[in-house]
Amino acid sequence: MSLHDEPQGVGSQEQEEILRLRAEVARLQLERDNASKSSTKPAGRGAGLVRRIVAVLLVVLTAVLACATVPALYLRSEVLDTDRYVATVAPLASDPAIQAEVASKVTTQITEAVDIEGITRDAMTELGKVAPRVAAVIAGLAPAIAEQTRTLIHSAVSKFVASPQFQDLWIQVNRVAHQGLVNLATGNTGGTVNIDQSGTVTISTKEIIARVKTLLVEQGVDIAARIPEVNAQITLLQSPELVRATEAIRTLDRTAPILAWLTVLSALGAIAVAPRGWRRRTTSNVGLGIAVAMAVLALGLAIGLDIFLSTIPPATVSPAAAQTLVDTLLAPLRNGVRFVFVVALLIALAAFLSGHSRPAEFARQGLARTGDYLTGKVGAGQAKPWQHRLARFRRILEAAVLGIAVLVLILWQYPTAAVAIWTAVVAGLAILLIELLCRPAVVAAHAAEPIPGVSPKS
């Protein structure tokens, strides 16, 4: 090998790098010139301003509609989907606060239905007639024995509500009582779970008392056989705010599909009406607007929940039970708010990184340099034919990846924020892999492009 050959190889690599840099500079100059030409056009400036104003108004409208759509869709999913509702309330059966509340209320209902002290006093009187000598000894024991019987009943009820049988019964009762949530939204009455005009939500304990009666009789508590068939109710919640909220709930229930479509159309309209150079920015603003709306909604839920719980009389429902019940029922709504918040932020971030701002350009250049480094380490040399084909169709493949990610989020029955994050991560890694695999072909294509104002021999 002659001395002339080695510098030629080094010089060819430097020349390819110079050509690639020139092509990048030329592309940026063309984008700058096109942007300056479009900005200096006098015609249509007023129309462009109007379109930007309309786009901003539609972004605000989208955020407002999203703030109403998420609670409306939550309400419909909880009202119309019985399996979803049962899955939401099923864990309450094993919650200590709910178990204690149910045990206390059911014990009170049983002792009020049966005059335990009167029955005990009559039994003592009959025993005194049979055994006159012990009459003086047992006199006055009726209240103590009655209290012991109440303690025994409460112990039996507490044991039952802590058993798997109660959890099964709780699910069955709530499945049948699901109509009560429909009543809450539609204003109808009837069903196992009801809400009255004072804002009291109750649930029937008929089956629970029947099961406890059988359990006590099996344990030899003869007085339990006198427990009548009690179709009583226990209060789950009591707040006048519920009555005022029913009208809003009914409105949201009826308008949920309309609100969802209006939100989508408003977002698409904001992007479509924006001037050509503002569409990515408008897309990012739509995402940020929805994210801000979800943050405001989450704050409103937290404040509203504190206000609502403060209106519940402690004598009616224990604060711990009320807190647990409300938190459980609102858990799907909170998950929905987090999901929409994360998706909106991802949309805003994707639109921002694909734009022409300096931070976006810097981020893309950093990724390009990283890709050049990795491809140079892994597979230096000429791009292979399959890399050229991949580079030619990479936009179609990346669009397919994004389409699959969107379909996953749409078809997932009840997506959460974690689902959205992992879907975005997997889609991002797939797109990054495509870019890395075809990077040598993309660099070669840019180096081969003719540079405006530069002679190919220069």
Side-chain angles (χ1 to χ4, degrees):
M1 182 177 64
S2 63
L3 294 175
H4 179 70
D5 294 334
E6 186 175 356
Q8 185 177 1
V10 178
S12 63
Q13 293 179 0
E14 294 179 352
Q15 186 176 6
E16 288 181 1
E17 182 67 17
I18 291 172
L19 289 174
R20 187 182 70 82
L21 293 175
R22 286 180 177 177
E24 184 70 18
V25 171
R27 184 182 66 82
L28 294 175
Q29 287 178 346
L30 285 175
E31 290 182 357
R32 185 191 62 184
D33 293 340
N34 291 333
S36 62
K37 287 179 182 178
S38 61
S39 62
T40 54
K41 287 182 181 179
R45 179 179 298 176
L49 178 61
V50 172
R51 294 177 66 178
R52 286 196 293 270
I53 294 174
V54 173
V56 170
L57 293 177
L58 287 175
V59 168
V60 175
L61 178 61
T62 301
V64 174
L65 288 173
C67 205
T69 299
V70 172
L73 293 178
Y74 152 78
L75 177 65
R76 285 185 66 84
S77 68
E78 290 297 313
V79 168
L80 300 180
D81 192 338
T82 301
D83 292 334
R84 172 71 169 168
Y85 171 78
V86 171
T88 299
V89 300
L92 289 174
S94 57
D95 186 270
I98 297 297
Q99 290 178 349
E101 185 73 10
V102 173
S104 175
K105 295 295 179 64
V106 171
T107 301
T108 301
Q109 290 174 355
I110 293 175
T111 54
E112 288 178 352
V114 181
D115 186 6
I116 297 176
E117 188 170 345
I119 294 174
T120 304
R121 188 178 296 107
D122 293 341
M124 294 297 179
T125 302
E126 293 297 326
L127 181 60
K129 293 178 181 179
V130 175
R133 294 182 179 181
V134 299
V137 179
I138 63 175
L141 291 180
I145 296 176
E147 184 61 31
Q148 289 294 326
T149 305
R150 294 189 187 96
T151 302
L152 180 61
I153 292 174
H154 184 269
S155 177
V157 174
S158 300
K159 182 179 179 181
F160 173 72
V161 299
S163 67
Q165 290 80 8
F166 174 72
Q167 296 181 14
D168 295 338
L169 179 61
W170 178 267
I171 293 174
Q172 295 172 15
V173 168
N174 276 278
R175 185 174 291 278
V176 175
H178 183 251
Q179 182 61 40
L181 197 59
V182 179
N183 297 339
L184 182 63
T186 60
N188 298 327
T189 58
T192 310
V193 173
N194 296 307
I195 176 172
D196 61 17
Q197 296 302 316
S198 65
T200 303
V201 181
T202 58
I203 185 171
S204 173
T205 58
K206 176 181 178 181
E207 187 63 25
I208 297 175
I209 293 176
R211 297 283 188 94
V212 172
K213 176 181 178 179
T214 303
L215 182 63
L216 289 171
V217 171
E218 291 175 352
Q219 292 178 355
V221 183
D222 295 335
I223 198 173
R226 301 193 182 190
I227 299 175
E229 182 176 334
V230 180
N231 189 16
Q233 309 281 327
I234 60 173
T235 300
L236 294 180
L237 286 176
Q238 184 180 28
S239 173
E241 300 296 329
L242 285 175
V243 180
R244 289 191 284 269
T246 51
E247 278 301 324
I249 292 173
R250 293 172 204 157
T251 302
L252 288 176
D253 177 59
R254 290 191 296 264
T255 60
I258 300 174
L259 287 172
W261 281 108
L262 286 178
T263 304
V264 174
L265 292 176
S266 177
L268 295 177
I271 298 170
V273 90
R276 184 177 297 273
W278 281 64
R279 287 179 181 171
R280 283 192 181 90
R281 185 180 302 178
T282 303
T283 303
S284 181
N285 289 338
V286 167
L288 289 176
I290 295 176
V292 170
M294 293 302 100
V296 171
L297 180 58
L299 180 62
L301 282 174
I303 297 174
L305 179 60
D306 289 340
I307 296 175
F308 173 75
L309 290 175
S310 65
T311 64
I312 300 176
T316 305
V317 183
S318 67
Q323 179 79 48
T324 300
L325 180 63
V326 174
D327 285 342
T328 301
L329 291 176
L330 288 182
L333 177 57
R334 289 178 172 139
N335 290 335
V337 170
R338 296 189 190 106
F339 169 75
V340 176
F341 178 81
V342 170
V343 171
L345 283 184
L346 291 174
I347 292 174
L349 181 62
F352 170 76
L353 291 178
S354 64
H356 297 295
S357 64
R358 287 186 177 181
E361 291 281 357
F362 180 78
R364 289 200 299 271
Q365 289 173 6
L367 288 175
R369 286 193 294 269
T370 303
D372 291 339
Y373 175 78
L374 293 176
T375 53
K377 289 291 185 183
V378 175
Q382 296 294 327
K384 297 176 176 56
W386 66 268
Q387 290 177 311
H388 286 288
R389 289 192 295 270
L390 182 63
R392 186 182 306 168
F393 298 106
R394 74 182 190 280
R395 297 307 180 197
I396 297 176
L397 292 174
E398 291 169 359
V401 170
L402 291 176
I404 292 173
V406 172
L407 283 177
V408 168
L409 296 179
I410 292 175
L411 298 179
W412 200 292
Q413 189 172 13
Y414 295 106
T416 62
V419 171
I421 292 174
W422 279 110
T423 302
V425 168
V426 172
L429 290 176
I431 292 174
L432 183 60
L433 179 61
I434 293 173
E435 290 289 338
L436 289 176
L437 290 176
C438 67
R439 185 64 188 169
V442 173
V443 173
H446 280 302
E449 289 179 356
I451 304 174
V454 178
S455 174
K457 296 182 180 180
S458 61

